[in-house]
Each structure stands twice: as C-alpha cells, then as structure tokens.
Amino acid sequence: MDKLFKLQQNGTSVRTEIIAGLTTFMTMAYIIALNPNLLTGWRAGGDDLWNAVFLSTCLASGIAMICMAFLANKPFCLAPGMGLNSFFAVVVVQIMTITGATYVASFQAALIIVLAEGIVFVVLTLCNIREMIVGAIPYGVRMGIAPAIGLMLLNIGLGSNAGVFDGEGNPFYVMRDFFGSLTASSAAGTMTTAYPGMVLTVVTMFVGLFVIILLAHRGVKAAVILGMLAASIVYWAGEALFLGIDPFATLATASWVPAFNDMANLTLFKFNLDGFLQMGWFTVITLIVTFCMIDMFDTIGTLVGTAARAGMLDKEGKMPQMKEALLSDSIGTVVGACTGTSTVTTFVESASGVEAGGRTGLTALTCGIMFLLCMFIAPIAAMIPAAATSSALIYVGIVMLSGLKHIDWEKMEQAAPVALMLIAMPISGSIGHAIGIGLITFSVINVFTGNAKRQYALTYILALIFLIKFFLVA
C-alpha cells in the first residue's frame, strides 16, 4: 500500500486514509438515493428506471473514484453532480415536449448529450487544454475558491441539507425558519407538525459539530467520522424517544438484491439517437456547451479549493497530477452516460475526507469501494441522517475559511473577485458560476485600469465566454 499510494511520502497511513474515505462516503452517500429521485422526476418512468439510475450512480461513481485513486493518487471523490442532475432532468422534459416521446425514451436521448460532453472532456484533457484553463485562473482568484466553497458548505449544512419538510413536501431551513424566527412559539407556528423534527435536527447537527471540534482540538484524526456517528446516534435516539419513529424500520422491508436487469433493459448503452437528432443541432450544441461549462469549472473549483486546504498546491497555486485528476472526472462522465446517469464530477464533500487526514488515492479508493458495495447495502447507507452529514459540512466549511489569509485585501484585483465569489457561491449554489463572476471581475478591473497583461490573455477569453453564457445563451 505504501509503495502504491506513496503513503509515507504524503505523511499519512492506511488507517488514516481508510477513515478519510469512510468520512467522505458518509457525507456524500445522500447522492445514491437522491440522484435517481431527481433524474427520474421522483419515479417518472417507473420503478424500473429508478432502479437503473440507482445502480448507474453507484457504478459510475465507484469506477471514477478508482480511476482517481490509481491515475492521480488524490483523495478526491466523484459522483453525479448536484445541479447538473437537476438540469439533466429539465432537459429530459424538454426532449419530451419537442419529440412527444416517453420519459424513458427522452432520458435515453439526453444520455447522448452527457456522453458527448464526456468524450469532449477526455480529448481536452489528453491535449492538456483543461490544464491550461486551470492555469489561466489568476492566483488571487484561485486562492479564494477554497474559502468560497467553505461558505457554500456552511450554507448547505445549515440550509438545504437539513432534511425537514412539511406535510406537502416543502422544505424548512435551519437559519430561516428556526433561528430566523422571533420566538420558539413563532417557529412552532410556522413549521407546525414539522417543528419537533426541526428541533431534533438542530440539536443533532450541533452535537455532532461540537464533538468534531473538540476531538479535532485534541488532534484526533477520526474527529469528523466520530462526530457524525455521535450525531447519528443522537438522531436515532431522538426519533425513537420523542417522535415515536423506529429509525430502523426500513430495514425490515428493504431489498438487498441489485436490479441489474432494469439497468440492462433501460439505460446500459441504451442511446436514443433518433430522439437526440430531433432536438436540432443548435439546441444540441448549446446543451453540450452548457454542460461542459458548468462541469468544467465546478470540477476545477473543487479540485483547486480542496487541494489548497490539503496543502497540495505548489508556490504558484498549481496542483501536481491535475491532468490525471481531470481525466478521472472525464472517464466517470463517459461511464455514467453509458450506464445511465448524468455528469459525474468531483464532489465538494471530498473536503471532509481531506480534513480527516486523507492525502492519497487510498481515500478515493475506499470511498469508491463503498459506493460499489452500496449496490448491495443501500438500505444501510440511506440510514445516515441528513443532520449528521450537516455537522461535517459545517465543520469543514469553517476550516476552509482559513484560506482567506492568502488574499491580499489591499489589492482590489484580488479583493473584489474573491469577495464576489464568497457571496456568489453559496447563493447560486454553483462553483463554476461563482468562478466565472470572479474571472469577469478580475478582467474588468485589469483591463480598464490599464493593468492588462499578456499572461492573462486566456483569463480574459474565459471571462468573455462567461459573459456570453450569462447574458446571451438562450
């Protein structure tokens, strides 16, 4: 293991890497069930399509992480990206409207778009073009990505990840609906029957957070995963004692046999070329470019931001083996398209494994194996409460803010792009779009203050592309 993953050279051990992999898995395991829910319109296309996408999610994620482990030897974990999967579902509905086809047939047509994106990225990566794009991000913007991701993680942990809903399925948010209320009684009046669940959620996430902080203060490398386990126990106990819910009831009726036949019949190399061509070439090209733009900068931002936190960047802010890491991402997308899921990208939750001490590909390999095992143990993975993963996301978000010390706040060409990224990333929920705003801001300041330099030529081109995307692409 040491020779394969260079553990000693990276100052880590097998135990630390496995713990880090399990930590990342626990923080991103939600995607296993959420991705098929989103891609199938919450069971549109029937249970068979849901089963197919579920298996594809596990397979594509696992294979992508194995590639990351052995090609790049980095602790970054991958899965179908949030945001991109929702966009994919919207595209499927658009194809249904244009062609009049069924949801399944439209889904199979949309998979060709993902396949094309993946192939484009493989070519761009092998030709070092994606690596050139990474290098075109100015140092100040690059150093501001990690803190911006930290704020996004805080927003997710304290917001959309809470998992509290009313009787109609509408979500409640911790900061807005609980801490934002004037009094406890007004919060109870707003959330009605969901209020006890919110109280349990808040208690759980802060118990987990404080356990993580105290253990990390004592130098315990497994602090994050132990905090998540403590939070899970608190949540399960609260459900049983105060909400009258058996937290393990779903295990009694759970299916442990993977539905490989459903994937083989509906999504495995099932590309609907006729439906794809009916969309028209302009629409097809626009969609492929849009997928590429979002995926490229989401991945670049996550890799650079997480690598910065792990101390993996050199003096110029560049990460070794970036090409191999990007290639792993591209391979994952191609595999996902062939098996039946949307774009695979590097997950921001990888930061939790890095914070747990993960420094090599053994972390990614551990998480990848867990995703593959989830084809058989999915009911257990589904039991991890959202509030427990929130504890980890909040903690990691806090520590990633330390990257702000690298920003020269006296230089407006650094301060302004980073400040806008800090607010854009958590609000938009898109790493790529926030980077785009940062690049536009950097370019405008430099060009119109007479400080434009030839070395930033590609930066200005990228800024122009983002301007076109934001304002002109229909």
Side-chain angles (χ1 to χ4, degrees):
M1 282 292 184
D2 180 63
K3 290 183 179 180
L4 186 60
F5 294 107
K6 301 178 182 178
L7 300 179
Q8 289 187 1
Q9 181 179 327
N10 287 280
T12 185
S13 65
V14 172
R15 178 179 178 274
T16 298
E17 293 293 303
I18 291 176
I19 289 174
L22 292 174
T23 300
T24 303
F25 168 74
M26 290 179 70
T27 59
M28 61 185 287
Y30 68 87
I31 196 66
I32 295 172
L34 183 56
N35 192 55
N37 281 344
L38 291 174
L39 291 191
T40 63
W42 300 84
R43 302 284 177 168
D47 289 345
D48 291 351
L49 182 60
W50 192 98
N51 292 336
V53 177
F54 168 83
L55 288 176
S56 175
T57 301
C58 295
L59 276 172
S61 303
I63 292 172
M65 284 184 266
I66 290 172
C67 290
M68 181 68 75
F70 291 107
L71 293 179
N73 193 26
K74 297 297 181 186
F76 309 124
C77 299
L78 307 92
M82 289 298 295
L84 284 165
N85 51 12
S86 298
F87 182 46
F88 180 93
V90 170
V91 170
V92 172
V93 174
Q94 290 176 342
I95 295 174
M96 288 179 65
T97 303
I98 294 171
T99 65
T102 64
Y103 192 92
V104 172
S106 301
F107 187 96
Q108 293 167 342
L111 287 176
I112 300 179
I113 298 172
V114 179
L115 178 64
E117 175 207 347
I119 293 173
V120 167
F121 274 169
V122 169
V123 174
L124 292 179
T125 303
L126 293 177
C127 295
N128 297 319
I129 295 175
R130 288 181 82 184
E131 206 167 5
M132 288 172 57
I133 293 173
V134 176
I137 300 176
Y139 178 83
V141 175
R142 201 177 300 167
M143 291 298 100
I145 292 173
I149 290 176
L151 281 182
M152 187 171 76
L153 289 177
L154 283 167
N155 188 51
I156 294 171
L158 290 166
S160 57
N161 195 61
V164 179
F165 301 88
D166 63 14
E168 298 179 355
N170 300 312
F172 288 110
Y173 298 103
V174 172
M175 285 301 181
R176 184 192 69 190
D177 300 303
F178 188 82
F179 290 113
S181 297
L182 295 176
T183 63
S185 60
S186 62
T190 299
M191 290 179 272
T192 61
T193 57
Y195 180 71
M198 177 62 87
V199 172
L200 178 58
T201 293
V202 172
V203 171
T204 297
M205 66 169 59
F206 279 99
V207 167
L209 175 62
F210 295 146
V211 169
I212 293 172
I213 291 173
L214 294 174
L215 290 177
H217 178 70
R218 293 180 175 273
V220 178
K221 289 189 175 182
V224 177
I225 194 169
L226 290 175
M228 290 177 66
L229 288 173
S232 297
I233 292 171
V234 168
Y235 192 85
W236 294 330
E239 280 189 317
L241 295 175
F242 302 109
L243 302 183
I245 297 173
D246 181 0
F248 309 112
T250 56
L251 295 178
T253 57
S255 174
W256 304 86
V257 180
F260 287 113
N261 284 338
D262 291 338
M263 185 175 73
N265 293 332
L266 296 178
T267 61
L268 186 62
F269 296 105
K270 294 294 190 295
F271 298 116
N272 180 8
L273 185 59
D274 290 338
F276 175 77
L277 294 176
Q278 286 183 47
M279 288 187 286
W281 285 110
F282 180 80
T283 301
V284 165
I285 292 173
T286 300
L287 288 173
I288 292 174
V289 170
T290 302
F291 270 98
C292 284
M293 287 286 290
I294 297 172
D295 182 28
M296 180 182 297
F297 283 93
D298 277 6
T299 299
I300 289 172
T302 302
L303 287 174
V304 172
T306 307
R309 176 60 197 168
M312 294 179 180
L313 301 183
D314 58 22
K315 294 180 180 179
E316 297 179 356
K318 297 180 180 180
M319 186 186 80
Q321 285 81 50
M322 175 63 81
K323 177 179 180 178
E324 290 81 359
L326 293 171
L327 183 60
S328 302
D329 170 270
S330 305
I331 293 172
T333 295
V334 172
V335 172
C338 293
T339 56
T341 188
S342 57
T343 304
V344 172
T345 187
T346 306
F347 256 53
V348 69
E349 284 83 356
S350 299
S352 63
V354 167
E355 197 57 36
R359 293 295 182 272
T360 74
L362 184 54
T363 294
L365 179 62
T366 301
C367 189
I369 291 173
M370 291 302 299
F371 264 78
L372 294 176
L373 288 176
C374 271
M375 291 188 292
F376 305 93
I377 61 170
I380 295 178
M383 288 178 57
I384 302 170
T389 63
S390 286
S391 301
L393 295 177
I394 294 167
Y395 172 74
V396 174
I398 292 171
V399 298
M400 291 188 78
L401 291 176
S402 64
L404 290 173
K405 64 186 177 185
H406 299 295
I407 307 302
D408 188 345
W409 294 101
E410 299 298 322
K411 294 182 179 179
M412 191 53 65
E413 67 268 23
Q414 284 195 30
V418 172
L420 290 176
M421 284 199 306
L422 287 172
I423 194 67
M425 206 170 287
I427 292 179
S428 70
S430 171
I431 296 173
H433 287 178
I435 293 174
I437 293 172
L439 292 176
I440 292 170
T441 305
F442 176 89
S443 300
V444 169
I445 291 174
N446 278 270
V447 170
F448 289 97
T449 57
N451 294 320
K453 297 178 182 179
R454 185 176 297 177
Q455 70 187 79
Y456 294 126
L458 184 53
T459 303
Y460 304 143
I461 293 173
L462 293 174
L464 180 61
I465 292 173
F466 269 109
L467 281 170
I468 293 171
K469 181 189 182 302
F470 288 143
F471 295 102
L472 297 179
V473 175

